[in-house]
Amino acid sequence: MNNKAVILGCNYYIGLSTIRCLGIHGIHTVAIDYSAEDRYGSESKYCSERLIAPYYKEDPKGFIQFLIDYAKKQSVKPVLIPCHDSYVEIVDEYLDEIREHYLIPQTEKGLYTKVMNKETLHALAVEKGMDVPETVRIDEENFIEKVESTLKYPCIVKPTDSPAFVAHFRKKLFKVFNREELVAAIEKSKKANLEVIVQRIIPGFDDHMYTFDAYMNQDAKVTHWVTCQKHRQYPINFGASVYTEQKYVQELYDIGAPFLEAIGFKGFAEIEFKKDAETGKFYLIEINARITNLNNLLYEVGVNFPYITYRELTGSPLEPYAVKEDKHRVFWYAYEDLLAIRGYLRTGQLTKKQVMQSLMKRKSYAIWDWKDPKPGLVNFRKIAGKLLKKN
């Protein structure tokens, strides 16, 4: 355990749960952020070092040099774990340089970006025989007519580069109900220099969203996996998991594992699927190529993905394991779930009774941990401060 674990992005609970998953095994964890503000993840008692690096968007070469300089000071190569899409993108861009100094699962430069980019992922999925939502590209001839005849309204205008889109618009996509809204959404995206595609909305409430979370070893073979079912997301209908349950669905492995292995993926990946409410068919929606929001849930049902990554890269891989039963446990990000519940109730998508019944399940919290309370307290103060300012 001489190899340190360098975690990129600790101002969110993904970085926090990664620090905890490694720290409980006595691994030296290093939290790296570009700002000292709001980095509550590094307040964990399991965090060994806290560093501030140059901002990767403003000074990418300075950021990479910072990582390299840090690694050169170590007696053995650290393990590098990016916990945000933007960190994954820059690691992918400089993968060859980084791999000289860090242990990182992926060996093929560009593959992370390929699976994160909605357009190239769509092409990969079609090539490998995966079901994907029908898509129209805005540079196609008569694209509006194609949207109206093939996809129909409402449909979604979706970015090819999600991190950049979310950073600019503070939402994952535009849902449009007519031609005017379609044209306006495309114009907004063009002004922001963001590429978009238009997709059919797969029918089904948010509980038709599922995930296949898996680790692929250096032979690109799935060794560990868990499947989950979303119940609520925020923003509602097209957002991130805020209330998600571990649910064993063998079909997701049968679809997802061959695809990830066929494209030669290595390391952790989460495939998001949507089950068509009319046909029961699972459609690939997107892939997260970094530790997931649900990480604490996955850990508490028996699969510690950051530790699995660390052990394999440092030469002592863990035995393969999959969760093939329902553990009746949910991931809960309380703050955003309360906002989501308000939205579902307002739109009539859920009743108060349905919400109350769902909240009875055992929970894996996004941030709070009685054994490691400081990150939760720091984050609570931040949220309370925001709420007071609003009032």
Side-chain angles (χ1 to χ4, degrees), residues 134-374:
E134 293 83 345
T135 300
V136 175
R137 288 162 185 79
I138 64 171
D139 57 358
E140 292 181 32
E141 276 188 50
N142 305 316
F143 88 91
I144 289 181
E145 289 76 9
K146 286 182 182 177
V147 167
E148 294 176 342
S149 62
T150 307
L151 310 185
K152 307 196 182 321
Y153 298 112
C155 56
I156 54 176
V157 178
K158 192 174 179 179
T160 58
D161 181 355
S162 283
F165 189 94
V166 171
H168 187 86
F169 291 111
R170 294 295 173 201
K171 58 171 70 178
K172 292 181 81 171
L173 48 79
F174 295 120
K175 184 178 181 181
V176 297
F177 291 84
N178 52 51
R179 182 179 291 203
E180 291 73 25
E181 290 184 7
L182 173 65
V183 171
I186 290 168
E187 284 305 311
K188 280 183 191 174
S189 304
K190 280 182 178 175
K191 279 183 184 175
N193 292 315
L194 294 166
E195 290 183 16
V196 290
I197 53 178
V198 189
Q199 279 190 345
R200 177 171 80 92
I201 297 174
I202 305 301
F205 178 58
D206 289 359
D207 63 0
H208 283 60
M209 293 295 298
Y210 290 79
T211 67
F212 171 64
D213 296 274
Y215 185 80
M216 275 64 61
N217 66 11
Q218 289 300 290
D219 296 321
K221 298 296 179 188
V222 173
T223 59
H224 298 76
W225 59 276
V226 189
T227 54
C228 299
Q229 179 184 13
K230 289 189 184 184
H231 290 297
R232 294 190 287 274
Q233 18 186 30
Y234 184 77
I236 63 170
N237 307 137
F238 300 100
S241 298
V242 292
Y243 200 76
T244 296
E245 184 173 7
Q246 177 273 323
K247 193 84 173 172
Y248 170 51
V249 185
Q250 180 66 37
E251 189 178 350
L252 297 179
Y253 170 84
D254 297 339
I255 301 168
F259 173 69
L260 291 172
E261 291 177 356
I263 65 173
F265 198 91
K266 296 172 184 176
F268 174 81
E270 177 183 79
I271 305 180
E272 289 197 14
F273 290 96
K274 187 165 188 184
K275 186 178 185 179
D276 191 313
E278 295 168 4
T279 66
K281 186 186 288 186
F282 284 102
Y283 287 83
L284 183 151
I285 302 298
E286 67 179 18
I287 292 182
N288 291 315
R290 42 82 187 145
I291 300 298
T292 173
N293 297 40
L294 313 174
N295 189 53
N296 192 39
L297 170 66
L298 306 181
Y299 163 68
E300 292 194 346
V301 299
V303 186
N304 185 337
F305 282 108
Y307 188 54
I308 290 163
T309 305
Y310 182 93
R311 285 286 297 267
E312 196 212 2
L313 295 179
T314 55
S316 54
L318 296 171
E319 285 294 312
Y321 177 69
V323 181
K324 295 189 175 184
E325 61 179 316
D326 293 340
K327 301 282 190 177
H328 308 291
R329 182 182 279 274
V330 295
F331 163 80
W332 193 32
Y333 183 26
Y335 173 63
E336 287 195 348
D337 189 37
L338 292 173
L339 299 175
I341 287 168
R342 184 174 63 180
Y344 289 119
L345 293 175
R346 277 181 180 170
T347 55
Q349 295 180 60
L350 286 175
T351 64
K352 288 181 181 177
K353 184 180 178 182
Q354 287 172 319
V355 170
M356 292 306 295
Q357 286 175 338
S358 74
L359 289 170
M360 295 299 106
K361 298 175 187 291
R362 281 193 308 157
K363 298 174 184 65
S364 296
Y365 300 102
I367 298 171
W368 182 254
D369 186 336
W370 285 104
K371 295 176 183 175
D372 185 26
K374 193 175 178 184

